[in-house]
Amino acid sequence: MEVSSVPTENELFSAVDALLEEVAQDDLPAPEERKRLREAAGLSQEQIAKALKSRRETIGNWESGVTEPRPPKRAAYARLLEGLAARFPAPTADAPAAPAPAIPEAFTGPAPEPAPAPAPAAVPASRPSAAASSTTRPAASSRRPGAKKAVAKNTTASAAADDPRFENGPLAVIHCEDGQVSAYCVGGLVLDVPAKSIPALVDWTLTEARLGQARLHRHDRDADPILVLTASALERYGLPAALSQEEQRAGRLAAGHKVVKQIQRAGLQLTQRGFGPWARVYRDPEGSRRRCVQLCVLPWGALDAREWDKKDDPQLPTMHPADLARYLGLYAARVMTPRGSTATTGLELMTALRPPTRAQKDEATGEFKQAFNDDAITAKYDVVPCEVPDEHPILKDAGFARHHIRTPAEMLMEEPYDWCRPLTDEECANPYLVVVDINMSFAAAANGLTVGLNGPTHLTGNPQFDPALPGSWLVDLSHVDLSHVQINGRTVDGSRLPSPFTPKGDHPTGPAWYATPTLAYAQELGFDVAPIEAYVRTQTGRYLDPWYKRLRDAYVATMADMGVTTDLTGSEFLEAMARRKQVDPTMALLETAIKATAKGAIGKLRQRSRGQVPYYEPYPALERWTWRPDIRAAVLAAQRVGLHRKLMKTAAAADLYPVAIGTDAIVYPSPGPSPLDVLPYMPEGTPVPGTFRLGVSPGMVKHQGTQTVLWAEAQFEERGGVFNIANLIKTADPTAGEGE
């Protein structure tokens, strides 16, 4: 006879909590109501995050609808909201409205007095990704009577509404019309600009405009306000419509220009970059408060069409200032305030989310001093010869000839795939070639990746490979045979796939330098890894995780604004992707900018010389702490082997092999023109686990284009087979396939 034991109190509480978690799946109020309840109780996001053992950014995402809480925190959050709702019920229809409505331009009578509200109710965001309200009022001296107010579209994000210092947003577009200078801000707000000169404009921004963006990390600094100057603003403030050829080469306005002299006479300063397309004008700080304004000169090419615009049909030069403010304001809200190119901004985002230093109180003196953060890059470290590009100064005395091409045994060659092979007779029987493209593949590869945070340690004497140590390893993988590999109990013909160890897909022929993710994958496939020597980093961390999450959330929210959401089925997703650019052209530009930010930032980690200095001479990028070619190599290696892993599982599941790969675009022979005709699915209609999956999230795939096999054969015959057809098939999305 079985004797049942009496349950303990903890067991009973655990069972009750489990029931609460189950019940709490669908009982959360709307995101705007969550924020209202918190504000009505006088609680900060930091307080709730601390109580729920979470991050402040996570609470902000729950309140904006970007993400939803998951068990077990969902039940606790639901209980908190339920308690707050009992104490702070929503205003009834008879209650007076919280903010006074905007007065129409035609109204000529006295303005009505606003009635007091029981609690500051937040204005509901019309999209899950919009952060807050578009009704922020400027300083009393800034709005001119009867000013035109731009119509704010539903996807307009607010400007750090919780911080009164930046209530008018992170930036403004300065435009002059009929002699009146206006500042177009996020949310459709238009401010009157009384400034008659650039120095006066800077001072107005610092004292009255209430522009800027709160820091993304508590140890970082607030973002400087940005003024985007249109062509009419340049004319109004005495700036040239375009830089001269000499000024373009120098990247700045001539030192003798009258505006530069005005800045100097006003006691303002310019950074060493001078007055160029992206200029910083500042006064000395007041205590810990920075007094700096960034100028983005649109007609001088500050927003490169290849990153911020449609490169074949630029939209920004003719875009209305309100739309431009909406576009850049959303970028600032979802990514960060722009700092120059998208690549520069992406790199700055890394350090903004992982600041190298913090203030630490000295217990002995009671004073605060600078301390370093363990999870950040905190210094400029020595470089490794095998990891640097050919023009690096460390190679000056390496004995290489001027145009010597380094071999894999001399240089770490972790790059994306550029591979193509002839079609077999069986594959030629298919009428189509379908290309699928991985969403934000470099950013996705950075997610969860362990990288080195300190300088290199040189290991010699055949060290043992450790997959937990990021770095570069000299290893001979020529013995690896992928022609018959077992995946999930099935044999895969690896000879029809590119090698995972080289960018061109060739089989290794001898010792070569590899990043840790590549060799870890070789071990995963069951092959021996015997290093000859290595350069490893012993202080490690998942440095890029918050960077990836920030860009992921920005991308997913922007795609949702165009109707491409995470809950769509395969066919629904393909249809939504095909029409998304017509849904909202401004959001289509934002999508391009976010993808360029992710791609460009990874490239900046090993930025090459732009010809500023002679070969083997130090160039400016080398002075950055974030010039880390080893981290770039690790990301690219993880991207390539991650793609190969899915190729293997797809081949095992459906005997399906690619014929070309260009960075993150994979070409498959197909009986039909759609990815649904070729990607493997389970009998119940779900994708085979581990294979390519259609969807909007980073790491999932979309349709890049389709061509016929006859077209491909004609291209091979015409070009002699020395090209990659993956780079030509872009009918579904002309902007895809460029290495996102």
Side-chain angles (χ1 to χ4, degrees):
M1 179 177 178
E2 185 177 339
V3 179
S4 60
S5 60
V6 178
T8 66
E9 184 176 274
N10 287 337
E11 290 173 340
L12 291 173
F13 282 177
S14 297
V16 170
D17 287 341
L19 290 175
L20 285 174
E21 289 172 17
E22 186 175 341
V23 173
Q25 296 305 304
D26 300 308
D27 62 354
L28 291 180
E32 58 268 19
E33 176 65 5
R34 303 170 196 174
K35 181 178 179 181
R36 185 195 72 79
L37 291 170
R38 176 180 60 77
E39 291 179 338
L43 297 174
S44 67
Q45 291 180 348
E46 290 273 6
Q47 289 174 293
I48 295 180
K50 185 176 181 180
L52 296 179
K53 302 295 188 292
S54 188
R55 298 168 58 243
R56 183 192 62 79
E57 293 83 355
T58 301
I59 306 302
N61 286 339
W62 294 351
E63 291 184 351
S64 63
V66 173
T67 59
E68 289 292 318
R70 297 180 179 178
K73 294 179 181 179
R74 187 180 181 97
Y77 189 51
R79 181 179 297 181
L80 170 66
L81 295 177
E82 182 181 359
L84 294 179
R87 297 188 61 183
F88 306 97
T92 63
D94 296 330
I103 303 172
E105 292 182 11
F107 185 83
T108 57
E113 290 290 329
V123 179
S126 56
R127 292 277 185 181
S129 53
S133 128
S134 61
T135 58
T136 313
R137 292 184 179 275
S141 61
S142 297
R143 186 188 294 281
R144 67 180 184 272
K148 293 182 180 179
K149 189 167 184 178
V151 177
K153 296 188 179 180
N154 289 339
T155 52
T156 302
S158 107
D162 290 337
D163 196 327
R165 297 174 300 159
F166 311 128
E167 64 176 344
N168 293 335
L171 53 85
V173 178
I174 307 300
H175 184 70
C176 182
E177 187 173 357
D178 298 330
Q180 175 62 55
V181 181
S182 303
Y184 289 80
C185 306
V186 297
L189 182 67
V190 183
L191 304 180
D192 176 36
V193 180
K196 306 295 184 183
S197 65
I198 289 294
L201 179 65
V202 170
D203 285 335
W204 170 83
T205 305
L206 293 173
T207 58
E208 291 189 51
R210 298 185 185 177
L211 295 174
Q213 187 177 37
R215 64 197 67 187
L216 299 180
H217 189 284
R218 63 193 181 101
H219 295 315
D220 195 37
R221 61 176 175 84
D222 299 329
D224 298 325
I226 287 186
L227 302 181
V228 182
L229 304 182
T230 65
S232 64
L234 295 189
E235 182 180 2
R236 174 64 181 81
Y237 289 117
L239 291 165
L243 296 176
S244 66
Q245 289 186 353
E246 184 177 347
E247 290 170 336
Q248 287 179 3
R249 285 193 295 269
R252 69 192 72 184
L253 204 61
H257 193 277
K258 63 178 183 180
V259 172
V260 177
K261 292 182 177 179
Q262 287 175 358
I263 292 172
Q264 294 170 345
R265 286 196 299 267
L268 292 162
Q269 302 177 62
L270 288 164
T271 61
Q272 292 183 353
R273 297 180 63 180
F275 201 120
W278 288 91
R280 288 188 182 274
V281 189
Y282 65 96
R283 292 192 182 277
D284 290 334
E286 285 184 344
S288 61
R289 176 175 170 264
R290 284 170 59 92
R291 295 191 295 170
C292 180
V293 175
Q294 190 170 8
L295 303 179
C296 169
V297 187
L298 192 61
W300 295 358
L303 300 177
D304 194 318
R306 293 169 297 180
E307 304 171 345
W308 298 97
D309 205 350
K310 289 183 177 180
K311 59 184 178 182
D312 299 324
D313 182 23
Q315 306 294 305
L316 298 186
T318 58
M319 184 179 284
H320 190 278
D323 291 331
L324 183 58
R326 170 177 174 254
Y327 168 32
L328 297 178
L330 274 171
Y331 181 90
R334 294 177 180 177
V335 181
M336 72 180 303
T337 302
R339 304 286 178 89
S341 67
T342 54
T344 297
T345 304
L347 196 66
E348 290 285 329
L349 181 64
M350 291 182 189
T351 54
L353 296 170
R354 294 282 200 199
T357 61
R358 70 183 189 278
Q360 185 178 61
K361 189 174 182 179
D362 189 329
E363 297 299 334
T365 64
E367 297 180 354
F368 283 91
K369 61 181 181 179
Q370 188 183 76
F372 291 106
N373 292 317
D374 293 336
D375 60 356
I377 297 173
T378 57
K380 186 177 70 171
Y381 296 104
D382 293 337
V383 296
V384 175
C386 69
E387 295 174 350
V388 302
D390 293 335
E391 68 273 17
H392 195 281
I394 199 175
L395 300 179
K396 185 174 184 178
D397 300 321
F400 296 136
R402 174 65 174 81
H403 298 290
H404 172 73
I405 299 177
R406 288 190 287 168
T407 66
E410 298 168 334
M411 180 182 183
L412 179 66
M413 296 183 180
E414 295 287 12
E415 300 292 340
Y417 271 130
D418 182 11
W419 170 81
C420 188
R421 66 170 174 82
L423 279 72
T424 65
D425 292 341
E426 181 181 359
E427 290 167 341
C428 286
N430 290 283
Y432 297 103
L433 294 176
V434 173
V435 185
V436 292
D437 178 78
I438 302 175
N439 300 323
M440 297 185 69
S441 63
F442 295 148
N447 183 31
L449 180 66
T450 299
V451 300
L453 300 178
N454 62 344
T457 299
H458 191 194
L459 305 180
T460 57
N462 303 106
Q464 183 176 358
F465 174 66
D466 184 351
L469 281 179
S472 303
W473 309 74
L474 183 63
V475 179
D476 188 351
L477 294 179
S478 59
H479 64 283
V480 173
D481 183 8
L482 294 175
S483 59
H484 296 85
V485 178
Q486 291 290 317
I487 301 292
N488 297 332
R490 298 186 181 183
T491 301
V492 173
D493 182 4
S495 64
R496 296 170 64 184
L497 295 172
S499 168
F501 310 122
T502 62
K504 293 291 184 182
D506 302 328
H507 187 76
T509 57
W513 287 98
Y514 300 99
T516 299
T518 301
L519 297 181
Y521 183 56
Q523 275 194 341
E524 179 185 324
L525 294 174
F527 298 102
D528 293 332
V529 174
I532 301 168
E533 64 173 310
Y535 292 91
V536 299
R537 278 83 181 173
T538 55
Q539 181 186 343
T540 66
R542 291 166 56 161
Y543 176 75
L544 296 172
D545 274 11
W547 176 83
Y548 160 75
K549 292 173 183 175
R550 180 83 176 174
L551 290 174
R552 175 202 62 193
D553 292 347
Y555 178 73
V556 171
T558 300
M559 298 301 286
D561 285 338
M562 293 185 285
V564 187
T565 56
T566 56
D567 58 350
L568 299 179
T569 63
S571 58
E572 292 171 341
F573 169 73
L574 294 174
E575 292 171 2
M577 285 293 292
R579 64 173 181 265
R580 74 188 191 283
K581 293 182 184 292
Q582 286 70 46
V583 171
D584 192 331
T586 302
M587 290 299 99
L589 294 181
L590 185 57
E591 175 198 351
T592 300
I594 292 170
K595 293 192 295 187
T597 302
K599 173 189 173 185
I602 298 301
K604 276 272 188 181
L605 292 169
R606 197 199 70 158
Q607 182 176 334
R608 305 194 64 172
S609 172
R610 298 174 178 171
Q612 310 105 308
V613 297
Y615 222 69
Y616 296 141
E617 292 298 322
Y619 51 93
L622 302 182
E623 295 301 314
R624 292 198 312 259
W625 290 5
T626 50
W627 195 85
R628 290 294 300 269
D630 57 302
I631 296 180
R632 173 189 178 271
V635 172
L636 268 57
Q639 186 266 354
R640 195 183 65 250
V641 301
L643 194 160
H644 191 273
R645 186 180 290 110
K646 291 189 176 183
L647 294 177
M648 296 280 276
K649 292 186 177 180
T650 302
D655 196 32
L656 185 63
Y657 294 86
V659 297
I661 304 173
T663 304
D664 49 18
I666 306 99
V667 184
Y668 277 116
S670 172
S674 168
L676 296 173
D677 297 318
V678 63
L679 296 180
Y681 281 79
M682 302 287 283
E684 60 271 21
T686 59
V688 175
T691 63
F692 297 104
R693 182 188 183 102
L694 286 170
V696 70
S697 298
M700 301 174 78
V701 299
K702 57 182 178 291
H703 185 205
Q704 177 172 299
T706 298
Q707 275 289 1
T708 65
V709 169
L710 293 177
W711 170 88
E713 290 297 329
Q715 295 295 318
F716 281 125
E717 186 173 340
E718 178 182 340
R719 302 180 184 228
V722 290
F723 74 104
N724 191 339
I725 58 174
N727 300 325
L728 299 181
I729 307 176
K730 300 177 182 177
T731 54
D733 185 354
T735 66
E738 298 177 355
E740 301 167 13

